[in-house]
Amino acid sequence: MTTLMPDTIAPPSESGQWPARRSQILDWLVNGTRDERFIDNIFVQLCDRLRAGGMPLARATLAFTIQNPQWLGARILWRKDQPNPAINMFDHDVLETAQYLNSPVSEIDNGADEVRERLDVDDGRASRHAIFDDLRSEGLTDYVAWPILHTLGKRHVISFGCDRPGGFSEEDISFLRDLLPALALVSEIRIKNRLARTLLETYVGPHASELILAGATRRGSGVTVGAAILICDLRDFTTISELWPRDHVIDLLNGYFDAMSEPIERNGGEILKFVGDGLLAVFPLSNPDACAALLRSVGEARAAMSAVNAEHVRLGHDPLGYGVGIHVGDVMYGNIGSRKRLDFTVIGPAVNVASRLETLTKEVKRPVLLSRAFADMAGDHGIFDNLGFYPLKGLGEPLEVLALRLP
């Protein structure tokens, strides 16, 4: 069957062409969306086709939950008079808000199979949900919402709003309801693909996640890249973890990692792993600004840590100390681990040097140490102090070490 684009679908005539249009739309949804990766594009095209096919659709939403550390989910909003959909993220606290609790979405989440409201009928009763008054003021005459049922009981929510006098016909409602199983199948794979990407980005970073999704999952696979390397470690964490309550230790670590990580990511670095109270990050030298970007990250992180420590002092705690080791060189970037459990990370002598420099910060009492190789590549702008040569474990020759001069 040929799939027709929205601008080629004429509104149903009085001789009754809506059943044929319904068949074309359903065929497109099942067979014509195979090459479309994103559910928002499919949803918008579906709404456009429904409207062009004669459905009096004026507004539609698709709300779904995602496994993201920052966001609980997202909502796609389509309107007939807006060329681009609105996509809004909502955070985990939304479930406690009055806006959510007094909403059709909450009803669906709590097990309702359908929420229907005629908006052009005034029977003197107060609106069941506050949003109905808003929709009525927009000129909508009818509203319906259903769950989109995915496997293992996962429920998302779709809604449709009508602007025709008299609302949706029973034929309209019947067809929209018939679309739900196909839309569930089409949406589940796209949402799960997005979830997979989100989870990988959360746990291994954006660049590594792209490589893994592209098939880089074989042990030993990887590439050699030049990178500026940063290793950071919190001081006296063992003592803190023994003396502080568990929840306070977790809050402390999260605040510390926020302060150190956000500048790294903002300046183009990639955090490869958190190890206890430490982190490993790289700035690929494919970016000519990599070394300068790393130094900007350190400066911004120090400012953020100053704010964190000010709060610690206010609460009667000692300020947190940390050490940073910085080096530059070639690293092997790829999969390392056992046959069944892999880690996507970097290894190589350059990583070892950065680690040794971080350890050396404890001895020389300077929080940020870097190698001569990094300083030469970054350019000495009067911000480094030369500390001389130090023997580092595992290195045959003493290494010339510099310290970042701090204000």
Side-chain angles (χ1 to χ4, degrees):
M1 180 180 294
T2 302
T3 300
L4 301 178
M5 295 302 293
D7 57 0
T8 65
I9 302 177
S13 67
E14 294 189 6
S15 60
Q17 296 190 24
W18 183 218
R21 302 297 180 246
R22 295 194 336 179
S23 178
Q24 292 168 356
I25 292 171
L26 184 58
D27 178 69
W28 164 81
L29 182 60
V30 174
N31 299 309
T33 59
R34 293 170 180 165
D35 294 329
E36 178 54 67
R37 292 174 56 193
F38 303 110
I39 185 59
D40 53 319
N41 291 339
I42 293 174
F43 180 64
V44 168
Q45 290 180 49
L46 173 63
C47 294
D48 288 341
R49 288 168 183 270
L50 288 169
R51 180 78 186 181
M55 177 78 69
L57 193 63
R59 180 186 187 275
T61 66
L62 177 61
F64 51 89
T65 56
I66 55 177
Q67 292 171 322
N68 182 282
Q70 186 175 2
W71 307 109
L72 175 64
R75 185 190 72 158
I76 308 166
L77 170 63
W78 174 92
R79 296 178 188 272
K80 68 173 185 179
D81 53 355
Q82 294 182 357
N84 298 312
I87 302 178
N88 299 312
M89 311 301 291
F90 46 89
D91 61 30
H92 294 267
D93 295 335
V94 72
L95 299 181
E96 307 301 324
T97 64
Q99 182 181 10
Y100 168 79
L101 294 172
N102 181 27
S103 73
V105 173
S106 178
E107 272 198 62
I108 299 292
D109 286 345
N110 285 295
D113 293 325
E114 178 180 290
V115 175
R116 179 86 183 272
E117 184 79 5
R118 284 292 301 275
L119 303 172
D120 59 349
V121 175
D122 185 4
D123 57 7
R125 294 183 299 112
S127 293
R128 183 168 29 150
H129 298 298
I131 191 174
F132 292 153
D133 292 330
D134 297 334
L135 298 179
R136 188 176 292 110
S137 68
E138 293 177 17
L140 269 65
T141 59
D142 203 352
Y143 172 93
V144 63
W146 290 291
I148 298 292
L149 302 176
H150 288 180
T151 53
L152 300 177
K154 193 74 172 178
R155 294 165 72 93
H156 307 284
V157 182
I158 192 167
S159 74
F160 299 100
C162 173
D163 62 354
R164 181 178 61 194
F168 289 119
S169 69
E170 287 309 307
E171 186 179 29
D172 295 334
I173 292 294
S174 176
F175 177 55
L176 290 174
R177 191 183 287 114
D178 287 346
L179 284 176
L180 299 182
L183 186 59
L185 293 173
V186 169
S187 62
E188 180 160 20
I189 187 64
R190 272 76 180 185
I191 291 175
K192 285 191 172 179
N193 284 345
R194 180 63 259 181
L195 291 179
R197 183 174 295 274
T198 298
L199 288 173
L200 281 172
E201 289 173 352
T202 299
Y203 285 99
V204 302
H207 182 64
S209 67
E210 288 181 9
L211 294 175
I212 293 170
L213 288 171
T217 57
R218 184 179 178 184
R219 183 171 65 161
S221 64
V223 295
T224 298
V225 298
I229 306 150
L230 180 152
I231 293 180
C232 180
D233 195 57
L234 190 64
R235 293 288 170 260
D236 301 320
F237 178 68
T238 301
T239 301
I240 292 171
S241 61
E242 290 175 351
L243 297 178
W244 286 30
R246 184 202 63 180
D247 290 347
H248 290 184
V249 172
I250 292 173
D251 288 342
L252 178 150
L253 274 179
N254 287 338
Y256 155 69
F257 281 134
D258 279 345
M260 301 302 298
S261 301
E262 290 177 5
I264 291 172
E265 294 172 333
R266 186 165 55 244
N267 286 287
E270 182 173 1
I271 298 170
L272 295 176
K273 63 171 57 183
F274 298 99
V275 183
D277 59 333
L279 66 84
L280 165 64
V282 294
F283 290 73
L285 296 182
S286 55
N287 174 13
D289 191 46
C291 292
L294 187 153
L295 291 174
R296 284 197 302 273
S297 300
V298 171
E300 293 171 13
R302 284 186 55 78
M305 281 300 298
S306 294
V308 169
N309 279 329
E311 179 64 12
H312 277 288
V313 171
R314 187 186 70 81
L315 296 174
H317 302 306
D318 292 332
L320 300 174
Y322 55 91
V324 176
I326 300 169
H327 186 46
V328 66
D330 288 341
V331 296
M332 189 285 211
Y333 184 63
N335 284 302
I336 298 149
S338 68
R339 289 186 179 89
K340 296 183 178 180
R341 178 69 171 85
L342 297 176
D343 188 14
F344 210 95
T345 187
V346 293
I347 60 171
V351 179
N352 298 338
V353 171
S355 178
R356 302 292 186 268
L357 288 169
E358 183 278 315
T359 302
L360 186 63
T361 62
K362 303 173 188 177
E363 177 183 336
V364 301
K365 308 302 182 185
R366 299 290 292 267
V368 183
L369 297 182
L370 48 135
S371 66
R372 166 55 68 185
F374 177 88
D376 288 344
M377 186 170 290
D380 190 342
H381 304 291
I383 59 174
F384 305 135
D385 292 327
N386 194 320
L387 304 186
F389 288 81
Y390 283 82
L392 299 181
K393 182 179 178 181
L395 299 182
E397 299 283 340
L399 185 77
E400 188 174 5
V401 177
L402 297 88
L404 182 64
R405 188 177 302 149
L406 302 175

